[in-house]
């Protein structure tokens, strides 16, 4: 293998993927955040802008500015629109991720934070999955607090991810982030298995 091992940090919205990713960064590991990368790519790509306007909503991008609340209101209430959005964004993010991994030396693992490991076929270039999990009521409260959403809006985002599938045969480690179980010892145990 001429690339480092790649471990996906997964979990539904509000589960705590970002908490685990921040801990990994504090430990000196490199973590690719697919949400941040997708945001930067979408903001800068005029071809993506044109496709968002034609395939998602005619006012998805106005004067070069992406209207994320508008796009969210469309895709989190229409599963076909969400699939179209993913088909617009995922291929470019995957190519960007491949280049990022290629820039790392073999030896120390690298991590990718993603909620959609299987939906975007990212699982095909990943060696293991660390799934962050939390009860639905805790996730809902976190989403409402963090994003300023109503309970109904938060539940719509959780529901939009419920159809996500696990496939393939990646080694799976579950990290519980329920507000009671300490995350750091779980993370140390998971790292012991890959270092």
């Amino acid at each position: 293998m001429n690339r480092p091992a790649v471990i996906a940090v997964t979990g539904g919205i509000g589960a705590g993927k970002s908490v685990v990713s921040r801990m990994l960064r504090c430990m000196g590991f490199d973590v690719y955040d697919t949400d941040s990368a997708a945001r930067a790519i979408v903001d800068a790509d005029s071809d993506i802008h044109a496709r968002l306007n034609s395939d998602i909503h005619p006012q998805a991008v106005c004067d070069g500015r992406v209207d994320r609340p508008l796009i969210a209101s469309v895709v989190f209430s229409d599963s076909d629109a969400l699939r179209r959005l993913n088909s617009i964004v995922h291929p470019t993010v995957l190519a960007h991720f491949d280049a990022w991994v290629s820039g790392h030396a073999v030896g120390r693992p690298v991590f990718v934070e993603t909620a959609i490991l299987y939906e975007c076929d990212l699982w095909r270039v990943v060696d293991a999955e660390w799934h962050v999990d939390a009860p639905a009521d805790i996730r809902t409260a976190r989403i409402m607090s963090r994003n300023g959403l109503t309970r109904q809006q938060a539940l719509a985002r959780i529901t939009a991810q419920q159809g996500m599938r696990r496939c393939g045969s990646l080694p799976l480690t579950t990290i519980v982030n329920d507000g009671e179980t300490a995350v750091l010892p779980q993370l140390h145990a998971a790292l012991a298995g890959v270092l």
Side-chain angles (χ1 to χ4, degrees):
M1 179 189 309
N2 57 359
R3 66 172 180 82
V6 179
I7 299 170
V9 178
T10 68
I13 185 170
K17 297 178 301 297
S18 295
V19 169
V20 169
S21 293
R22 278 193 300 274
M23 289 178 172
L24 288 166
R25 285 186 187 98
C26 287
M27 295 175 179
F29 291 97
D30 287 337
V31 181
Y32 184 95
D33 179 351
T34 55
D35 285 347
S36 296
R39 177 179 284 269
I41 288 166
V42 167
D43 283 346
D45 192 316
S46 60
D47 291 335
I48 289 177
H49 293 178
R51 289 190 62 198
L52 290 173
N53 281 343
S54 66
D55 297 353
I56 304 300
H57 191 281
Q59 295 178 324
V61 183
C62 291
D63 299 323
R65 294 187 55 143
V66 179
D67 188 338
R68 285 186 171 79
L70 174 63
I71 293 170
S73 72
V74 172
V75 302
F76 288 115
S77 62
D78 178 348
S79 60
D80 287 333
L82 181 58
R83 277 191 287 279
R84 289 193 306 273
L85 175 65
N86 290 341
S87 73
I88 293 167
V89 177
H90 290 171
T92 307
V93 174
L94 281 172
H96 187 263
F97 174 70
D98 276 342
W100 181 84
V101 171
S102 296
H104 288 79
V106 175
R108 201 164 154 87
V110 295
F111 295 84
V112 55
E113 178 185 336
T114 181
I116 52 174
L117 178 64
Y118 299 98
E119 289 65 29
C120 68
D121 283 340
L122 186 59
W123 70 275
R124 295 178 188 275
V125 296
V126 166
D127 300 296
E129 176 183 2
W130 291 1
H131 183 80
V132 183
D133 198 16
D137 58 332
I138 292 173
R139 292 173 57 201
T140 303
R142 288 174 181 162
I143 297 164
M144 291 169 61
S145 174
R146 177 186 72 200
N147 297 81
L149 300 177
T150 66
R151 180 173 180 74
Q152 183 178 359
Q153 290 169 321
L155 289 171
R157 293 191 181 194
I158 289 173
T159 300
Q161 290 183 345
Q162 281 180 342
M164 295 184 176
R165 68 199 190 286
R166 183 171 202 285
C167 58
S169 57
L170 292 176
L172 176 66
T173 299
T174 299
I175 298 172
V176 177
N177 183 25
D178 59 6
E180 295 179 12
T181 308
V183 173
L184 193 56
Q186 297 176 76
L187 194 51
H188 281 299
L191 283 167
V194 298
L195 294 178

